[in-house]
């Protein structure tokens, strides 16, 4: 029994020793280095999973930002989170492992990305420029973009920075170089989202681990006459063609600047950057431009008076060869623009005035400037809308008044009341008939003679001229706009009414572009119902005197809006592009609420603004009540009109479509170039 007991004990002891030895062997196999590598592997797995999760979370936030069914405050908050988190994500090394196309696809094509690699003195530098444009239904504007710069020398040293928060510029190309100041980043691209015009060039310098925007020295930059440089914004500089041509921008082959080209092959620029940071135009191109472009005798700069609640912008002439003449003309412009301010020298007067200007005609002989704005006195029931003009004879260095051009007598008044004169705002067409002939003679005889105060200006009449028409402005009751402007083509003013043959010989030198004799087929009134109350006689630069008609057609049995220009025989001169509200909605009968003819984008050509009511065409359950849709038809130089779908969507989604004033005010805040 004892032997058996001792035998069992010996077996147990041997088993324990074996386990201890085996355990020791296992520990010897797990060296410290092995343990460290294993731990790092686990950490890397965790980090990879973390980055992947962050990326997916960021994409989900973008989906919320883009979801128009979500609450606007929620979307706005997610937009802020998205841009901040995207910047953080781009600082992580894993982000550079994804190619540009993969990132763009991951974010549902909401990003534009361009990556380049540069060999610098300090070694290889990789740079990625990323643009993100926020939905206009969230930001309330059509130009909000966000620009990010990501850079790395190795995949362990990755940095990112958001350099543009809500600005309009869209970077399309860039270049990095070593300079005396350090590493510099030159960005180039477009300012407008509608049209590749104008372009911008921006300079950033790397200091430590941060890019800082720098001003560009344009002191040595001499532009040909066909180009314009925006010097008000030195960071970045903005270049555009005076002819409003489409222009493009790309990096030069040698990488020290940009090549900027326009529709006209001779209107190209090479912008090069010297080591000292100066900017210059390649002399070969500059000489070619100066040889082929027609020189302009004078240009304009904008001046602003701002004091005691009064803001008035007015033009000043520059680059006129005769300096003495330029000085005298500028004094006239300034005096006329600021007429009557002495009445409001007291800062406690409670007066608010804001006035801007528009050049109606600029030529070697004539300059016509139109001023519009508001005048408001504290505790008054409403502001009044102001209108006045300045017309200059550049040759004689003097003002031109209406009575210098026409005889303010019975024949001229009868011409005005005959209907040949056209209201700039169609709804004011019939108001000129409320004046008696004697009233008009008295009013127009004193046109363009200001009496010295802003309050009196509101009760005066003025004249102006365009390339093909004479315009007059007369005071009106506040309820109908405070003033009304009417235009008549020079060709329609008989010689027996004209004054000063010398002025008229140059005033009428612009070719009459009326196309009223070029009519095509007549408007088929069986196919289109004309809404007479929203059809008007008007004058358009590319067409002359025409009739704009609002109509309803019935494609596929659904009522839609259609708009035409007709000659005086009813022939179709032009069919407008499809109305924005036709795409998904049905026209209400009697739905055209307003039509206006105004140079909305200030390119010298009148555009057409239309507001019309639409619904879903359902009667009964599922019906959507009528609501307004606005459309702007922008006139082009080639005698056509175009629309801008992005602008249409923004205009209507943000409900800036209730009145013509709403439309024009919103669009005036955008930079729109179609010519």
């Amino acid at each position: 029994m004892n032997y058996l007991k001792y035998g069992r004990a010996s077996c147990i002891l041997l088993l324990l020793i074996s386990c201890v030895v085996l355990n020791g062997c296992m520990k010897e196999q797990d060296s410290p280095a092995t343990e460290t590598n294993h731990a790092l592997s686990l950490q890397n797995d965790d980090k990879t999973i973390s980055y992947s999760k962050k990326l997916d979370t960021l994409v989900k936030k973008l989906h919320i930002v883009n979801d128009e069914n979500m609450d606007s405050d929620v979307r706005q908050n997610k937009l802020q989170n998205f841009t901040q988190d995207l910047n953080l994500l781009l600082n992580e090394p894993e982000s550079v492992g994804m190619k540009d196309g993969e990132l763009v696809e991951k974010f549902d094509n909401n990003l534009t990305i361009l990556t380049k690699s540069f060999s610098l003195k300090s070694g290889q530098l990789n740079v990625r420029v990323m643009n993100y444009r926020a939905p206009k239904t969230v930001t309330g504007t059509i130009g909000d973009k966000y620009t990010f710069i990501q850079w790395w020398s190795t995949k362990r040293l990755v940095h990112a920075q958001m350099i543009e928060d809500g600005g309009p510029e869209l970077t399309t190309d860039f270049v990095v170089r070593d300079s005396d100041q350090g590493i510099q980043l030159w960005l180039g691209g477009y300012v407008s989202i509608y049209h590749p015009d104008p372009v911008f060039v921006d300079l950033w310098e790397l200091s430590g681990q941060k890019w800082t925007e720098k001003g560009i020295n344009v002191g040595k930059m001499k532009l040909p006459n066909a180009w314009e440089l925006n010097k008000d914004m030195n960071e970045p500089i903005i270049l555009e063609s005076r002819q409003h041509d489409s222009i493009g921008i790309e990096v030069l082959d040698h990488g020290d600047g940009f090549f900027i080209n326009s529709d006209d092959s001779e209107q190209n620029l090479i912008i090069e950057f010297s080591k000292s940071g100066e900017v210059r135009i390649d002399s070969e191109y500059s000489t070619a431009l100066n040889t082929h472009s027609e020189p302009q005798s004078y240009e304009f700069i904008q001046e602003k008076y701002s004091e005691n609640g009064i803001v008035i912008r007015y033009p000043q002439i520059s680059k006129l060869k005769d300096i003495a003449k330029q000085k005298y003309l500028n004094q006239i412009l300034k005096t006329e623009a600021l007429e009557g301010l002495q009445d409001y020298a007291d800062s406690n007067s409670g007066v608010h005035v804001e006035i801007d200007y528009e050049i109606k005609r600029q030529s070697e002989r004539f300059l016509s400037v139109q001023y519009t704005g508001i005048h408001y006195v504290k505790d008054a029931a409403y502001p009044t809308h102001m209108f006045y003009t300045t017309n200059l004879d550049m040759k004689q260095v003097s003002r031109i008044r209406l009575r210098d051009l026409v005889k303010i007598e019975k024949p001229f008044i009868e011409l005005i009341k005959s209907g040949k004169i056209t209201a700039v705002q169609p709804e004011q067409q019939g108001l000129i008939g409320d004046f008696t002939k004697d009233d008009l003679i008295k009013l127009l005889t004193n046109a363009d003679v200001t009496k010295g105060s802003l309050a009196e200006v509101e009760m005066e009449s003025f004249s102006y001229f365009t390339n093909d028409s004479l315009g007059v402005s007369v005071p009106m009751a506040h309820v109908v706009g405070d003033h009304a402007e009417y235009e008549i083509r020079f060709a329609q003013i008989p010689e027996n009414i004209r004054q000063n043959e010398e002025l008229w010989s140059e005033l009428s030198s612009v070719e009459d572009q009326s196309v009223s004799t070029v009519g095509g087929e007549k408007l088929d009134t069986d196919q289109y119902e004309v809404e007479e109350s929203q059809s008007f006689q008007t004058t358009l630069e590319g067409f002359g005197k025409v009739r704009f008609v609002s109509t309803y057609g019935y494609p596929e049995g659904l009522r839609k809006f259609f708009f035409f220009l007709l000659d005086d025989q009813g022939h179709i001169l032009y069919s407008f592009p499809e109305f924005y509200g036709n795409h998904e909605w049905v026209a209400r009968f009697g739905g055209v609420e307003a039509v206006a003819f105004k140079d909305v984008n200030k390119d010298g050509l009148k555009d057409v603004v239309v507001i019309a009511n639409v619904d879903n065409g359902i009667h009964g359950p599922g019906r959507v009540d009528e609501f307004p849709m606005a459309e702007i038809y922008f006139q082009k130089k080639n005698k056509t009109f175009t629309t801008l779908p992005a602008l249409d969507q923004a205009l209507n989604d943000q409900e800036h479509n209730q009145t013509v004033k709403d439309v024009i005010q919103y669009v005036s805040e955008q930079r729109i170039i179609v010519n």
Side-chain angles (χ1 to χ4, degrees):
M1 292 291 296
N2 289 336
Y3 286 112
L4 182 58
K5 180 190 287 187
Y6 291 133
R8 290 177 177 174
S10 297
C11 289
I12 293 173
L13 181 61
L14 289 171
L15 182 60
L16 289 172
I17 293 173
S18 299
C19 290
V20 170
V21 172
L22 181 60
N23 187 48
C25 292
M26 292 292 290
K27 285 186 178 180
E28 285 181 9
Q29 291 176 5
D30 287 340
S31 65
T34 303
E35 289 181 0
T36 301
N37 290 335
H38 182 63
L40 284 174
S41 177
L42 291 175
Q43 289 176 12
N44 287 335
D45 288 344
D46 290 341
K47 195 169 185 180
T48 301
I49 294 172
S50 175
Y51 173 77
S52 178
K53 286 183 177 180
K54 289 179 182 178
L55 186 60
D56 290 339
T57 300
L58 196 56
V59 172
K60 291 178 181 177
K61 288 182 180 179
L62 179 63
H63 291 164
I64 295 175
V65 172
N66 291 335
D67 188 354
E68 297 187 1
N69 295 319
M70 294 290 292
D71 180 78
S72 60
D73 290 337
V74 173
R75 296 176 69 198
Q76 183 68 50
N77 183 57
K78 289 297 181 183
L79 171 61
Q80 184 176 356
N81 291 341
F82 173 77
T83 54
Q84 292 173 349
D85 292 350
L86 178 57
N87 190 58
L88 292 174
L89 192 77
L90 294 176
N91 275 280
E92 297 196 13
E94 289 81 3
S95 63
V96 303
M98 297 186 72
K99 296 180 180 179
D100 293 350
E102 293 173 336
L103 270 174
V104 170
E105 185 176 357
K106 183 70 176 178
F107 287 99
D108 301 331
N109 296 304
N110 285 271
L111 306 178
T112 60
I113 305 175
L114 183 61
T115 302
K116 293 184 179 183
S117 183
F118 301 90
S119 296
L120 307 178
K121 298 172 185 176
S122 56
Q124 199 79 3
L125 182 67
N126 303 286
V127 180
R128 172 181 279 166
V129 175
M130 181 180 298
N131 297 289
Y132 165 64
R133 180 180 298 153
K136 49 190 169 291
T137 52
V138 176
T139 62
T141 180
I142 51 182
D144 270 1
K145 306 184 189 75
Y146 300 80
T147 302
F148 303 83
I149 301 295
Q150 185 183 41
W151 69 102
W152 67 95
S153 54
T154 70
K155 291 188 177 181
R156 293 182 180 179
L157 299 174
V158 178
H159 306 276
Q161 179 182 337
M162 183 166 64
I163 64 170
E164 189 66 63
D165 182 359
E169 294 86 14
L170 178 66
T171 300
T172 59
D173 213 338
F174 64 94
V175 64
V176 171
R177 65 171 187 167
D178 277 338
S179 71
D180 296 341
Q181 289 75 33
I183 298 176
Q184 293 184 325
L185 170 67
W186 294 96
L187 302 177
Y190 301 113
V191 176
S192 171
I193 68 172
Y194 301 118
H195 198 276
D197 179 11
V199 298
F200 76 92
V201 178
D202 203 5
L203 168 63
W204 293 77
E205 286 181 0
L206 185 61
S207 177
Q209 296 302 327
K210 182 179 180 181
W211 292 98
T212 304
E213 190 174 19
K214 297 292 182 180
I216 300 176
N217 182 355
V218 296
K220 299 291 180 69
M221 192 173 192
K222 295 183 179 179
L223 285 172
N225 290 324
W227 292 86
E228 184 172 348
L229 169 68
N230 186 336
K231 294 184 179 180
D232 294 334
M233 297 176 61
N234 205 29
E235 302 172 357
I237 62 172
I238 297 176
L239 293 154
E240 54 189 312
S241 166
R242 294 187 186 279
Q243 282 75 27
H244 303 294
D245 292 331
S246 298
I247 56 181
I249 182 170
E250 57 187 84
V251 171
L252 293 171
D253 291 338
H254 57 71
D256 268 346
F258 291 91
F259 175 74
I260 300 173
N261 67 298
S262 72
D263 286 340
D264 186 338
S265 60
E266 295 177 347
Q267 302 293 302
N268 301 325
L269 299 178
I270 287 183
I271 307 296
E272 292 185 301
F273 311 99
S274 67
K275 290 185 178 181
S276 62
E278 293 177 344
V279 182
R280 66 184 178 88
I281 297 178
D282 186 277
S283 58
E284 178 183 352
Y285 282 79
S286 182
T287 301
L289 282 173
N290 286 329
T291 300
H292 292 92
S293 61
E294 181 182 350
Q296 295 184 15
S297 61
Y298 63 97
E299 299 177 6
F300 297 107
I301 58 175
Q302 178 179 280
E303 294 291 345
K304 182 173 75 171
Y305 174 93
S306 180
E307 192 172 345
N308 301 334
I310 298 175
V311 177
I312 300 179
R313 296 175 179 84
Y314 60 94
Q316 291 283 269
I317 298 169
S318 67
K319 298 185 179 181
L320 195 65
K321 290 182 179 180
D322 190 330
I323 301 301
K325 181 185 288 188
Q326 176 177 297
K327 184 177 181 180
Y328 190 77
L329 289 167
N330 279 336
Q331 186 57 51
I332 296 177
L333 287 170
K334 182 177 180 180
T335 301
E336 295 288 329
L338 307 183
E339 187 72 46
L341 291 184
Q342 64 273 11
D343 292 353
Y344 305 108
D346 181 6
S347 61
N348 297 318
S349 62
V351 172
H352 174 76
V353 176
E354 187 167 349
I355 294 173
D356 206 346
Y357 70 91
E358 179 181 351
I359 305 297
K360 301 300 290 185
R361 176 164 176 164
Q362 175 191 357
S363 66
E364 296 297 313
R365 184 67 188 266
F366 301 106
L367 173 62
S368 185
V369 185
Q370 184 183 100
Y371 297 91
T372 56
I374 60 168
H375 172 211
Y376 179 72
V377 180
K378 186 179 180 181
D379 298 328
Y382 47 77
T384 54
H385 299 90
M386 301 190 64
F387 183 101
Y388 57 100
T389 64
T390 297
N391 304 313
L392 295 179
D393 183 336
M394 301 291 291
K395 181 179 179 181
Q396 298 297 329
V397 195
S398 62
R399 283 206 60 190
I400 301 175
R401 296 181 170 87
L402 180 62
R403 64 192 183 199
D404 297 325
L405 294 174
V406 294
K407 300 173 184 178
I408 314 298
E409 298 172 353
K410 185 177 179 180
F412 180 61
I413 303 305
E414 290 177 345
L415 180 67
I416 289 176
K417 295 180 75 69
S418 69
K420 290 186 178 180
I421 198 164
T422 303
V424 173
Q425 300 297 329
E427 62 271 19
Q428 296 178 323
Q429 180 65 40
L431 299 180
I432 194 74
D434 295 338
F435 290 88
T436 67
K437 292 181 180 179
D438 290 340
D439 287 341
L440 284 174
I441 288 178
K442 182 178 180 180
L443 193 62
L444 298 180
T445 298
N446 295 313
D448 310 305
V449 181
T450 55
K451 298 181 175 64
S453 75
L454 293 176
E456 289 175 310
V457 165
E458 297 164 13
M459 299 305 297
E460 297 170 4
S461 62
F462 295 89
S463 69
Y464 61 92
F465 33 88
T466 66
N467 285 341
D468 60 5
S469 298
L470 173 67
V472 295
S473 175
V474 293
M476 290 286 177
H478 175 73
V479 69
V480 291
D482 293 319
H483 57 86
E485 286 70 62
Y486 298 87
E487 295 179 1
I488 185 169
R489 294 177 66 79
F490 294 136
Q492 293 178 297
I493 300 177
E495 291 186 5
N496 66 311
I497 293 177
R498 301 178 180 183
Q499 291 270 50
N500 197 321
E501 292 183 7
E502 181 193 356
L503 288 179
W504 273 96
S505 65
E506 296 189 45
L507 195 64
S508 303
S509 61
V510 177
E511 183 179 353
D512 188 349
Q513 296 178 338
S514 175
V515 294
S516 60
T517 61
V518 186
E521 295 182 358
K522 278 197 171 186
L523 181 68
D524 185 352
T525 53
D526 291 332
Q527 183 179 357
Y528 299 101
E529 299 178 41
V530 177
E531 186 171 348
E532 295 291 347
S533 64
Q534 294 297 333
S535 299
F536 308 97
Q537 294 288 338
T538 188
T539 301
L540 299 172
E541 289 78 7
F543 296 86
K545 189 172 182 179
V546 293
R547 183 171 186 244
F548 175 91
V549 293
S550 302
T551 75
Y552 305 93
Y554 295 85
E556 300 178 357
L558 300 174
R559 185 188 298 123
K560 302 286 184 178
F561 294 109
F562 296 91
F563 304 100
F564 302 92
L565 294 180
L566 307 182
D567 64 12
D568 54 6
Q569 302 299 317
H571 297 101
I572 298 176
L573 298 174
Y574 184 76
S575 301
F576 283 84
E578 186 175 10
F579 181 66
Y580 180 71
N582 284 355
H583 295 301
E584 299 180 16
W585 306 96
V586 175
R588 293 282 298 173
F589 187 73
V592 181
E593 288 290 323
V595 177
F597 308 98
K598 188 173 180 63
D599 183 5
V600 176
N601 59 340
K602 296 187 177 181
D603 61 357
L605 301 172
K606 284 182 192 172
D607 309 303
V608 181
V609 180
V610 177
I611 300 177
N613 290 325
V614 298
D615 59 25
N616 62 350
I618 297 176
H619 300 281
R623 170 179 169 75
V624 174
D625 291 336
E626 66 181 79
F627 57 93
M629 278 284 181
E631 176 76 277
I632 304 177
Y633 295 106
F634 292 96
Q635 187 175 180
K636 303 186 71 175
K637 292 179 181 178
N638 62 359
K639 293 171 60 173
T640 64
F641 288 81
T642 188
T643 62
L644 301 171
L647 176 63
D648 293 335
Q649 186 176 348
L651 190 66
N652 290 287
D653 287 351
Q654 297 300 317
E655 297 185 355
H656 298 288
N657 56 6
Q658 304 299 306
T659 66
V660 170
K661 184 178 179 181
D662 291 337
V663 173
I664 294 174
Q665 182 175 348
Y666 177 75
V667 176
S668 67
E669 297 171 358
Q670 320 301 326
R671 191 180 187 96
I672 298 171
I673 301 174
V674 298
N675 283 295

